[in-house]
Structure formats: structure tokens, C-alpha cells
Amino acid sequence: MKKILILTVTAGNAHNACARGMKSELERGGNARVKIVDLLKSYSSKRNAWIASGGYCFAVSRLPKLYNAFYRHYRKADPNRRYSCPPQRTVLSVVNELLQEILSFQPDVIFCTHFYGAIALTDLKLVYPLPCKVIAASLDYVNSPFWEAGIGVDYLTVPNEDFMDTYLKLGYKRNQLLPVGIPVDARTLQPAEKAGARRELGLDETAFTVAVMFGGGSWGGGFGIFKGLVKALKGRNAQIILINGKDKKSYKRVQKMKFEDGITVLNVGYTDNVPLYLSAADVVLNKCGGGSSAESLNMSLPMLITEKLAAQEKYNLNYLKQKGAALSFKNIKELKEQIIALMENRELLEKTSQCCAALKTNATAELANFILSQPSVDYGALLYSFIGHEDNPRAKKTVKRALREADKRERKKK
């Protein structure tokens, strides 16, 4: 039985959703034992864990201009500074416990859903001959900052062939890159037929239906956009499926609202069955996270996206608009124009759906099969080198020293 260690980080919802989806797919045939570890929550300080989760949500919702400026700045960073980039300090705080976990669990493969995991393992491999394969997944339609520091992984998944060159420029080799797509919950790959999904949810089988996803509570303008959608649909027969995520405040506000005749609102709150609700929709109104976008693409579901986004989501949106899979709006007036166009012009709706289908992937199943095809490994030699120190491998100082040396070598290349 293969042993798989999945390293995730709570920074938004996509990384954890990817981890859960991959675990489910890997365990489907009963041939794998899978363990998920939240890298920062398990091995780092509460401060570092909060910065990645609560701090991220605060920045994108309350300080978007500042967040976006930092994002754009670090996308232009010199790849040769990979061993001294900002995340390295946080990564050093986890290497000791992470190495201890590896020695204890002895995985055949480690799968990372966030660049922190890829960087931590790249750093450990500067010093220790880890026998397991390391595979990481990029979850956006853009090469986000700091992935240049994860080049020690054996493989990195990218959304498709369009992104190969951008990662080659960061220092990856072609044989490291797997253009399989973004691995989201495998259940989205075979969506329920619309009428059947609507019957299951108690909705009208024929009415135009819009799914709205608030994005885990970090979408600051989500509630205002929902109200704008309701106003835009005034006087028409339509249904709205509102998935609030962890935004309990908005859920309660919507519960108190009254809607005009002809408009039905299904106020969902939090759900772990997003595919069912998306299956019932004609259009999804969302911010443009890589994971949720991949879910929509896999269901051939056209996207209508606000342009008030975090930087990585703006890059995602630009790519999806170029491919014809998404429309966008800057304000409520444009939202009304776009939603009415999709509602009344079935040709536009179908064309956009076909563009989504062209980007559809089977990433979760393909990646799971690839992971399970990797050889089982023997930790005997590595464990022998840690006799007497298995419970405290003392990796931090050793890795820190190796990073300094690696940084000097990279700078000399310039």
C-alpha cells in the first residue's frame, strides 16, 4: 500500500479543497494510505499560521491595493534570489518538525498544494537525500510569486501547456512540469444533469439559474454584488443559488431579505457539496480563484466575474477572458448588462460554455494515477543517518546554512 503525505496551507479555501479532493481520489481504490498535514498550523507558530489564513483574507478584502502591489512586485523578483526570498524565514520554522514527520510516516510520495510545502522540501533536499518523490500543484492560471523557490520538487503541475514557458523561466526543467490542469474535487468532473440537480434542490427545472459563490468569506464586496444581481433580475423569472462559504454574516442578512415574485433565492450557507449546486446553474457569479474557476470549467459552466479582485485572481480572469470562458463587470450597471445578455442570448451562453469545455481537464484522476504509479521507497539509509536523533533531527540550523551557500552559488551565476 502506497503512503502519501499531503502538505497543505490554509490560505483561502482552494489549497485545503485540493488536498481533500486528492485524498479522496487516492483512497478510492483502497491502495493508498493518505495523511493530510496543514504545514503552518501543525509545525509553525500561531502567528505564521494566522498571517497565511486570516492575514491573507484581511489583506485581500481590506487592503487590496497594497496586497496587489506586493503581489506584482514579487512576480518580478529575480529567480536567482530563490534561496533568500521572503517565505524562506517562515519555511525555516517548519523544517525540523516536517523532517521528523517524514522520518516517522515514511511516505512514498509527498504532494504539496501550496508553495510553502514545495519550498520546505526543496530546502530539505539541499541537505538530506529524501527517497520519496515530491509533487506540487500550482492552483492559479498564472505563475504566482515564490514558486521559483520550489524548484527542488520532482514534479510541478501547471494548468495546461500555455504555462510551460513561464515556469521554465523560473528555473524549472521541462521534465518537471506536468500540464495536467488544476486538481479540484473529482466529483466536479461528472456533473449531474441540470434538471435532475434542480429537482434534488427543489428548484424550477426550466428557470434561468445563477450560482453565486462568496469565496470563503474573503470577498469583501460579495453581499453588495448579490444585491446588485437581485436588482438586475427584477421583473424576470430567475433563480439564485447563493453559496456563502464561511461568511455567516451575509448568510444571516440574506435570510432576512424578501424577494419579488419571480425571483427564487436558495440561501445555502456553507457546503461541502459545491458540485451539486453548480450542476443546477446556467452561470456562476464568482471571484476568480483558480480552484473555483477550474470547477466551473470542468462543468462547462460560464463565469461572470467582478473585476475588483486580488492580483492572482485578476490574472486568472484575464486568461479566462482571452479563452472566451468568462465575462466580467466593473460595476452593478455592467453586471446587469452581462447577466441579461447571458439570460436572453442563448447563443452567447452556449458559446461561452463551449469555451469552458475546451479548458476542461481530468487533473485529479490523472494526477492520482501518476502519484500511485510512483515506486515504493526504502528509508533505511536515511533513518540510519539519524540514529539517536529520530525525534529531533535538528534540521533548522543545517538547512539555514545550506540556504546561505545555495544563495551564494545562485548569485554567482549572474
Coordinates of all heavy atoms in Angstrom, one line a residue, residues 102-140:
I102 N 8.4 13.2 8.2 CA 8.8 12.3 7.0 C 9.4 11.1 7.5 O 9.2 10.0 7.1 CB 9.7 13.1 6.1 CG1 8.9 14.3 5.4 CG2 10.3 12.2 5.0 CD1 9.8 15.2 4.7
L103 N 10.3 11.2 8.5 CA 11.0 10.0 9.1 C 10.1 9.1 9.7 O 10.3 7.9 9.7 CB 12.1 10.5 10.0 CG 13.3 11.3 9.4 CD1 14.2 11.8 10.6 CD2 14.1 10.4 8.5
S104 N 9.0 9.6 10.3 CA 8.1 8.8 11.1 C 7.1 8.1 10.1 O 6.8 6.9 10.2 CB 7.3 9.7 12.1 OG 6.3 8.9 12.7
F105 N 6.5 8.9 9.2 CA 5.4 8.4 8.3 C 6.0 7.6 7.1 O 5.4 6.7 6.6 CB 4.6 9.5 7.8 CG 3.4 9.1 7.0 CD1 2.4 8.3 7.6 CD2 3.2 9.5 5.7 CE1 1.3 7.9 6.8 CE2 2.1 9.1 5.0 CZ 1.1 8.3 5.5
Q106 N 7.2 8.0 6.7 CA 7.9 7.4 5.6 C 7.1 7.3 4.3 O 6.8 6.2 3.8 CB 8.4 6.0 6.0 CG 9.4 6.0 7.1 CD 9.9 4.6 7.5 OE1 10.1 3.8 6.7 NE2 10.2 4.4 8.8
P107 N 6.7 8.4 3.8 CA 5.8 8.4 2.6 C 6.6 8.0 1.3 O 7.8 8.3 1.2 CB 5.3 9.9 2.5 CG 6.4 10.7 3.1 CD 6.9 9.8 4.2
D108 N 5.9 7.4 0.4 CA 6.4 7.1 -0.9 C 6.4 8.4 -1.8 O 7.2 8.6 -2.7 CB 5.7 6.0 -1.6 CG 5.7 4.7 -0.8 OD1 6.9 4.2 -0.6 OD2 4.7 4.2 -0.3
V109 N 5.4 9.2 -1.6 CA 5.2 10.4 -2.3 C 4.7 11.5 -1.4 O 3.9 11.3 -0.5 CB 4.2 10.3 -3.5 CG1 3.9 11.6 -4.2 CG2 4.6 9.2 -4.4
I110 N 5.2 12.8 -1.6 CA 4.7 13.9 -0.8 C 4.1 14.8 -1.9 O 4.7 15.2 -2.9 CB 5.8 14.7 -0.1 CG1 6.5 13.7 0.9 CG2 5.2 15.9 0.7 CD1 7.6 14.4 1.7
F111 N 2.8 15.2 -1.6 CA 2.1 16.1 -2.6 C 1.8 17.4 -1.8 O 1.3 17.4 -0.7 CB 0.8 15.5 -3.0 CG -0.1 16.4 -3.8 CD1 0.3 16.8 -5.1 CD2 -1.3 16.8 -3.4 CE1 -0.4 17.6 -5.8 CE2 -2.1 17.6 -4.1 CZ -1.7 18.0 -5.4
C112 N 2.2 18.5 -2.5 CA 2.1 19.9 -1.9 C 1.0 20.7 -2.6 O 1.1 20.8 -3.9 CB 3.4 20.6 -1.9 SG 4.8 19.7 -1.2
T113 N 0.1 21.3 -1.9 CA -0.9 22.1 -2.6 C -0.6 23.6 -2.5 O -1.4 24.5 -2.9 CB -2.3 21.9 -1.9 OG1 -2.3 22.5 -0.6 CG2 -2.6 20.4 -1.8
H114 N 0.6 24.0 -1.9 CA 1.0 25.4 -1.7 C 2.5 25.5 -1.8 O 3.2 24.5 -1.6 CB 0.5 25.8 -0.3 CG 0.6 27.3 0.0 ND1 1.8 27.9 0.3 CD2 -0.4 28.3 -0.1 CE1 1.5 29.2 0.4 NE2 0.2 29.4 0.2
F115 N 2.9 26.7 -2.2 CA 4.4 26.8 -2.5 C 5.2 26.7 -1.2 O 6.4 26.3 -1.2 CB 4.7 28.2 -3.1 CG 4.3 29.4 -2.4 CD1 5.0 29.8 -1.3 CD2 3.2 30.2 -2.8 CE1 4.7 31.0 -0.6 CE2 2.9 31.4 -2.2 CZ 3.6 31.8 -1.0
Y116 N 4.6 26.9 0.0 CA 5.3 26.7 1.2 C 5.8 25.3 1.3 O 7.0 25.0 1.8 CB 4.4 27.0 2.5 CG 4.5 28.5 2.9 CD1 3.3 29.2 3.0 CD2 5.7 29.2 3.1 CE1 3.3 30.5 3.4 CE2 5.7 30.5 3.5 CZ 4.5 31.2 3.6 OH 4.5 32.5 4.0
G117 N 5.0 24.3 1.0 CA 5.4 22.9 1.1 C 6.5 22.6 0.1 O 7.5 21.9 0.4
A118 N 6.3 23.2 -1.2 CA 7.4 23.0 -2.2 C 8.7 23.6 -1.8 O 9.8 23.0 -2.0 CB 6.9 23.6 -3.5
I119 N 8.7 24.7 -1.2 CA 9.9 25.4 -0.8 C 10.5 24.6 0.4 O 11.8 24.4 0.4 CB 9.6 26.9 -0.3 CG1 9.1 27.7 -1.5 CG2 10.9 27.5 0.3 CD1 8.6 29.1 -1.2
A120 N 9.7 24.2 1.4 CA 10.3 23.5 2.5 C 11.0 22.2 2.1 O 12.1 21.9 2.6 CB 9.2 23.1 3.5
L121 N 10.4 21.5 1.1 CA 11.0 20.2 0.7 C 12.2 20.5 -0.2 O 13.2 19.7 -0.2 CB 10.0 19.4 0.0 CG 9.0 18.8 0.9 CD1 7.7 18.4 0.2 CD2 9.6 17.6 1.7
T122 N 12.2 21.6 -1.0 CA 13.4 22.0 -1.8 C 14.5 22.3 -0.9 O 15.7 21.9 -1.1 CB 13.0 23.2 -2.6 OG1 12.1 22.9 -3.6 CG2 14.3 23.8 -3.3
D123 N 14.2 23.0 0.2 CA 15.3 23.3 1.2 C 15.8 22.1 1.9 O 17.1 21.9 2.1 CB 14.8 24.3 2.2 CG 14.4 25.6 1.7 OD1 14.7 25.9 0.5 OD2 13.8 26.5 2.4
L124 N 15.0 21.2 2.3 CA 15.4 19.9 3.0 C 16.3 19.1 2.0 O 17.3 18.5 2.5 CB 14.2 19.1 3.4 CG 13.5 19.6 4.7 CD1 12.2 18.8 4.9 CD2 14.4 19.4 5.9
K125 N 15.9 19.1 0.8 CA 16.7 18.3 -0.2 C 18.1 18.8 -0.5 O 18.9 18.2 -1.1 CB 15.9 18.1 -1.5 CG 14.6 17.2 -1.3 CD 13.7 17.2 -2.5 CE 14.3 16.4 -3.6 NZ 13.4 16.2 -4.7
L126 N 18.3 20.1 -0.1 CA 19.7 20.6 -0.2 C 20.6 19.9 0.7 O 21.8 19.8 0.5 CB 19.7 22.1 0.2 CG 19.0 23.1 -0.8 CD1 19.0 24.5 -0.1 CD2 19.7 23.1 -2.1
V127 N 20.1 19.2 1.7 CA 20.9 18.6 2.8 C 20.6 17.1 2.9 O 21.6 16.3 3.0 CB 20.6 19.2 4.2 CG1 21.5 18.6 5.2 CG2 20.8 20.7 4.1
Y128 N 19.4 16.7 2.8 CA 19.0 15.3 3.1 C 18.5 14.6 1.8 O 17.7 15.1 1.1 CB 17.9 15.3 4.1 CG 18.3 16.0 5.4 CD1 17.7 17.3 5.6 CD2 19.2 15.5 6.3 CE1 18.0 18.0 6.8 CE2 19.5 16.2 7.5 CZ 18.9 17.4 7.7 OH 19.3 18.1 8.8
P129 N 19.0 13.4 1.5 CA 18.6 12.6 0.3 C 17.3 11.9 0.6 O 17.2 10.7 0.8 CB 19.7 11.6 0.2 CG 20.2 11.4 1.6 CD 20.1 12.7 2.3
L130 N 16.2 12.7 0.5 CA 14.9 12.2 0.7 C 14.6 11.2 -0.4 O 14.6 11.5 -1.6 CB 13.8 13.3 0.7 CG 14.0 14.4 1.7 CD1 12.8 15.4 1.6 CD2 14.0 13.8 3.1
P131 N 14.2 9.9 -0.1 CA 14.0 8.9 -1.2 C 12.6 9.1 -1.9 O 12.4 8.5 -2.9 CB 14.0 7.6 -0.4 CG 13.6 8.0 1.0 CD 14.1 9.4 1.2
C132 N 11.7 9.8 -1.3 CA 10.3 9.9 -1.8 C 10.3 10.9 -3.0 O 11.1 11.8 -3.1 CB 9.3 10.3 -0.7 SG 9.8 11.9 0.1
K133 N 9.3 10.7 -3.8 CA 9.0 11.7 -4.9 C 8.2 12.9 -4.3 O 7.4 12.7 -3.4 CB 8.2 11.1 -6.0 CG 9.0 10.1 -6.8 CD 10.2 10.7 -7.6 CE 10.9 9.6 -8.4 NZ 12.1 10.2 -9.1
V134 N 8.5 14.1 -4.8 CA 7.8 15.3 -4.3 C 7.1 15.9 -5.5 O 7.7 16.2 -6.5 CB 8.8 16.3 -3.7 CG1 8.0 17.6 -3.3 CG2 9.5 15.7 -2.5
I135 N 5.8 16.1 -5.4 CA 4.9 16.6 -6.4 C 4.2 17.8 -5.8 O 3.6 17.7 -4.8 CB 4.0 15.6 -7.0 CG1 4.7 14.4 -7.5 CG2 3.1 16.2 -8.1 CD1 3.8 13.2 -7.9
A136 N 4.2 18.9 -6.5 CA 3.5 20.1 -6.1 C 2.5 20.6 -7.2 O 2.6 20.2 -8.3 CB 4.4 21.2 -5.8
A137 N 1.5 21.3 -6.7 CA 0.4 21.8 -7.7 C 0.3 23.3 -7.6 O 0.1 23.8 -6.5 CB -0.9 21.1 -7.3
S138 N 0.4 23.9 -8.8 CA 0.1 25.3 -8.9 C -1.4 25.5 -9.1 O -2.0 24.9 -10.0 CB 0.9 25.9 -10.1 OG 0.5 27.3 -10.3
L139 N -2.1 26.3 -8.3 CA -3.6 26.4 -8.3 C -4.1 27.6 -8.9 O -5.2 28.0 -8.7 CB -4.1 26.2 -6.9 CG -3.7 24.9 -6.2 CD1 -4.4 24.8 -4.9 CD2 -4.0 23.7 -7.1
D140 N -3.3 28.3 -9.8 CA -3.8 29.5 -10.4 C -3.4 29.5 -11.9 O -2.4 28.8 -12.3 CB -3.2 30.8 -9.8 CG -3.9 31.2 -8.5 OD1 -5.2 31.4 -8.5 OD2 -3.3 31.2 -7.4

